[in-house]
Amino acid sequence: MSGERPKALSVTTPRPAPARPRHRVRTRLGLPVPMRDGVKLATDVYLPDAPGPFPVILIRTPYSTNVDYNVQDGVFFAQRGYAVVVQDVRGRFDSEGEWTPFVHEAEDGYDAQEWCGTQPWSTGKVGTSGGSYLALTQWLAAPCRNRHLAAMAPRVGFSNLYQNWVYTGGAFQLGFNLRWGAVQMHTRTNRLQHLWVPPELQYSALFRHLPLITGDESAGRECGFYKDWIRHPDHGPYWERLGNVERSYGEIDVPAYGFGGWYDVFLQGTLNNFVGVRAHGRSERARRGQKVLIGPWIHDLGGRGTQTRTGEVDFGPEALVDLRAEELRWFDQWLLGIDTGVLDEPPVRVFVMGQNRWRTADAWPIPGTAYVEHYFHGEGKANSLFGDGRLDRRPPESEPPDRYVYDPANPVPTLGGSTCCGEDITPIPMGPRDQQPAEWRPDVVVYTGAPLEADLEVTGPIKVVLWAASSAPDTDFTAKLVDVHPSGFAVNVAQGIIRARYRESFERPSLLEPGRVYRYEIDCWSSSNCFGVGHRIRVEISSSNFPQFDRNPNTGHAFGMDADLEPATQTVYHDARHPSHILLPVVA
């Protein structure tokens, strides 16, 4: 079903077009740049064909210096007066050393910045750029505070490897981790699983393989770090050693312009880094130099701001933002000293879906946000969108609970949302999608509000407080916020998951007492959506979102080590003692 295109209600101020190319470009390719331990990393350099020196933009990648988008960046910025250095990270493609994700990026990033800042064609000012893992290389090196590092422009970056990459709410990001870790990145070069392979080799079969610990082997690979991720399902020292930017915000002393999408797997990391460095950065310059832009995009940021359509929704021309030009404004300001006006703008710029307009603010969450409870109600038959589940602001009193059976052999399929990275390489629906096929299922309980009499803008962090019991010693609970259009089109706005054993602590899991009622907080990250007049607010509760997340087998066994599956009976409470609700950030 195609999404309805809401009317755009405002127009943003046009931004100046990016500076036109001024220089021809010359290259020096495959330079062996030594790190502190003598390992040499393959490095390509793009230079303006003009007398230097030039400020430098550094891009560090595990995906090859020669892919089109890295070459395009090299040419684009070199034409506009920058030296651009693109480097294969350790152990990937033409670089020496052993490939182990995350481990060497802080020290190697520092050493690469030092090399960039001391070349004869360099002014000594270095900026960093890149998205996804290329953003990770920036954030991990930032706390080292290289003397030459003057600005960063990380796109879709993480903040905590455990909490907003490999695991989310204690659940394993199966679709992303298996495709990226076990399949693509297990060796020196990319090894994609082509989508045309026979059924037994397709992702639909690989995602269902059990036990999870041998998922790499089911794809014909051997990937040690993928197995290590599964052997460490709890947050702890293993993950802290690999990467946690959040613990180092006080050591970061560089301005950063972060770019993200409401349907990106690294949305929360992008927001966390903006908020964290703005609050705790080492200097006033760093704290005031944080900026963030979030659009209605999945991981590729709408083809870097060139597409109006994400998933099943066309967000109109307001969604078009030249993100490469935004980076140029940022680097011109910090590396060339040109007043581009970028520092005069509010530091937060987010796209309000539903109205299809941009909102700016001085902080995140937006000052003055009101957090409003919307409570679950029903007469014990909220199963599916045909049930009696209701949602309103009135606290519940005496109401029977709702029950459903979660069978991990028949999980609720992922229908859109925030996995990674694109449907051309990960065959999972992404972004905003019609949720009705999932809402027809009896193992999804649905709570829907009355048609709205006035627009309601929800912008900010979203949380579900759920009171529930399970017949299993461990299980999952999922939550989804949905905008129901008058036509019935039900588009996902935000989502979350909690693995029951981590309801109290991600470091010290504890199993359930079957049948006992527990309180769960399900973090649905953040979003921005205007629920229009005549639309309805809906919350879905279930226990699976597969294959974005692994299926909880309901056994309570050690994670990922066996193939046992057990059905579980789940009970959702909404009464005076157990007021299950969603907390919505409402802005005027």
Side-chain angles (χ1 to χ4, degrees):
M1 177 182 291
S2 296
E4 297 173 357
R5 176 175 162 183
K7 182 180 178 182
L9 298 181
S10 66
V11 178
T12 53
T13 302
R15 295 178 179 275
R20 298 179 63 84
R22 302 192 307 274
H23 304 287
R24 293 169 57 87
V25 179
R26 55 193 175 92
T27 59
R28 301 178 63 191
L29 306 180
L31 299 179
V33 174
M35 301 293 100
R36 65 188 66 185
D37 60 358
V39 170
K40 296 181 177 63
L41 305 189
T43 304
D44 293 349
V45 179
Y46 298 78
L47 294 169
D49 192 8
F54 314 103
V56 183
I57 297 174
L58 171 64
I59 301 169
R60 304 189 64 252
T61 177
Y63 305 123
S64 171
T65 61
N66 194 238
V67 295
D68 56 359
Y69 51 85
N70 285 333
V71 176
Q72 289 164 3
D73 277 350
V75 170
F76 177 88
F77 289 110
Q79 288 177 330
R80 290 158 178 81
Y82 290 89
V84 183
V85 174
V86 188
Q87 183 176 83
D88 287 329
V89 301
R90 182 180 295 242
R92 289 286 286 176
F93 291 90
D94 293 330
S95 286
E96 298 175 353
E98 180 181 349
W99 162 243
T100 306
F102 324 131
V103 173
H104 300 285
E105 306 309 349
E107 290 185 352
D108 286 355
Y110 179 97
D111 293 351
Q113 293 165 15
E114 186 67 20
W115 185 85
C116 290
T118 55
Q119 298 308 296
W121 35 259
S122 170
T123 63
K125 285 192 173 184
V126 177
T128 59
S129 177
S132 196
Y133 196 99
L134 288 67
L136 175 149
T137 66
Q138 300 175 62
W139 282 115
L140 287 180
C144 300
R145 299 197 308 279
N146 186 281
R147 57 181 174 155
H148 299 291
L149 182 60
M152 304 196 312
R155 303 188 305 276
V156 292
F158 89 120
S159 66
N160 181 313
L161 282 172
Y162 177 82
Q163 295 285 9
N164 52 59
W165 181 335
V166 180
Y167 291 86
T168 298
F172 191 64
Q173 286 266 9
L174 177 66
F176 181 17
N177 295 336
L178 180 71
R179 195 276 305 163
W180 188 89
V183 172
Q184 178 182 340
M185 304 292 290
H186 76 291
T187 186
R188 177 171 290 275
T189 58
N190 288 345
R191 297 293 299 273
L192 299 179
Q193 195 84 349
H194 297 289
L195 304 187
W196 46 259
V197 295
E200 66 271 17
L201 298 178
Q202 291 178 4
Y203 279 110
S204 57
L206 301 182
F207 289 146
R208 284 187 171 270
H209 173 83
L210 295 174
L212 292 177
I213 191 69
T214 57
D216 55 339
E217 299 168 35
S218 74
R221 277 83 161 168
E222 285 282 349
C223 185
F225 67 79
Y226 179 78
K227 292 182 186 296
D228 284 344
W229 293 353
I230 292 171
R231 292 188 184 107
H232 295 86
D234 309 336
H235 187 238
Y238 170 82
W239 296 104
E240 292 296 301
R241 286 193 299 270
L242 287 182
N244 181 355
V245 182
E246 296 168 7
R247 69 183 179 191
S248 302
Y249 288 145
E251 299 301 316
I252 294 176
D253 195 19
V254 59
Y257 191 170
F259 301 89
W262 292 130
Y263 297 97
D264 176 45
V265 72
F266 295 132
L267 164 65
Q268 197 56 49
T270 299
L271 291 170
N272 288 351
N273 289 336
F274 168 77
V275 172
V277 181
R278 190 168 176 83
H280 304 292
R282 189 176 177 87
S283 67
E284 183 70 10
R285 173 178 170 272
R287 293 189 292 272
R288 293 179 62 85
Q290 301 304 303
K291 189 173 176 68
V292 69
L293 183 152
I294 309 292
W297 306 310
I298 62 171
H299 192 65
D300 74 340
L301 301 184
R304 213 155 167 182
T306 64
Q307 302 163 1
T308 64
R309 189 176 187 87
T310 302
E312 295 180 6
V313 177
D314 190 325
F315 291 101
E318 280 290 291
L320 299 175
V321 180
D322 189 337
L323 297 184
R324 189 178 272 121
E326 280 294 288
E327 287 192 39
L328 181 65
R329 296 175 66 227
W330 187 248
F331 288 133
D332 283 352
Q333 180 77 47
W334 291 105
L335 304 186
L336 288 176
I338 298 172
D339 184 0
T340 65
V342 71
L343 301 184
D344 299 326
E345 301 163 359
V348 175
R349 185 180 177 202
V350 299
F351 192 86
V352 183
M353 300 180 293
Q355 287 185 326
N356 292 354
R357 63 178 176 84
W358 292 92
R359 171 186 281 278
T360 60
D362 293 326
W364 183 266
I366 293 174
T369 298
Y371 294 90
V372 181
E373 295 92 347
H374 287 65
Y375 294 95
F376 304 172
H377 298 279
E379 303 305 320
K381 297 180 180 179
N383 310 72
S384 85
L385 63 84
F386 307 110
D388 61 15
R390 304 184 309 280
L391 187 75
D392 61 37
R393 294 183 58 184
R394 175 179 54 86
E397 296 179 357
S398 177
E399 299 179 2
D402 296 301
R403 291 182 174 86
Y404 63 93
V405 175
Y406 158 51
D407 183 354
N410 181 27
V412 177
T414 298
L415 294 177
S418 57
T419 192
C420 186
C421 293
E423 295 178 13
D424 55 335
I425 56 174
T426 308
I428 301 174
M430 301 178 189
R433 299 277 181 174
D434 188 6
Q435 300 302 301
Q436 291 180 92
E439 294 168 351
W440 294 336
R441 296 172 57 112
D443 55 353
V444 178
V445 290
V446 177
Y447 303 95
T448 306
L452 292 171
E453 298 179 356
D455 288 353
L456 182 72
E457 183 184 332
V458 171
T459 298
I462 297 165
K463 179 175 69 174
V464 167
V465 175
L466 181 72
W467 292 88
S470 176
S471 64
D474 187 38
T475 195
D476 289 349
F477 289 103
T478 63
K480 195 175 293 180
L481 174 64
V482 176
D483 182 350
V484 184
H485 293 226
S487 67
F489 177 70
V491 63
N492 49 305
V493 174
Q495 66 179 43
I497 190 169
I498 185 68
R499 183 141 293 175
R501 67 174 69 188
Y502 297 110
R503 67 197 177 278
E504 297 173 345
S505 170
F506 291 106
E507 292 78 16
R508 295 175 297 278
S510 58
L511 296 179
L512 302 176
E513 177 185 330
R516 179 179 171 184
V517 182
Y518 294 91
R519 182 182 187 273
Y520 300 91
E521 289 194 3
I522 305 177
D523 185 354
C524 295
W525 291 5
S526 294
S527 191
S528 180
N529 185 75
C530 181
F531 294 81
V533 173
H535 289 226
R536 291 174 291 162
I537 302 170
R538 175 174 289 166
V539 176
E540 301 172 14
I541 301 295
S542 193
S543 291
S544 52
N545 183 354
F546 176 84
Q548 175 168 359
F549 300 104
D550 74 294
R551 297 165 289 169
N552 193 315
N554 296 327
T555 62
H557 296 170
F559 174 68
M561 298 300 166
D562 62 43
D564 295 343
L565 300 175
E566 296 288 345
T569 298
Q570 320 287 52
T571 306
V572 174
Y573 291 84
H574 40 83
D575 54 43
R577 292 182 58 198
H578 310 106
S580 295
H581 62 274
I582 188 169
L583 194 63
L584 296 180
V586 176
V587 297

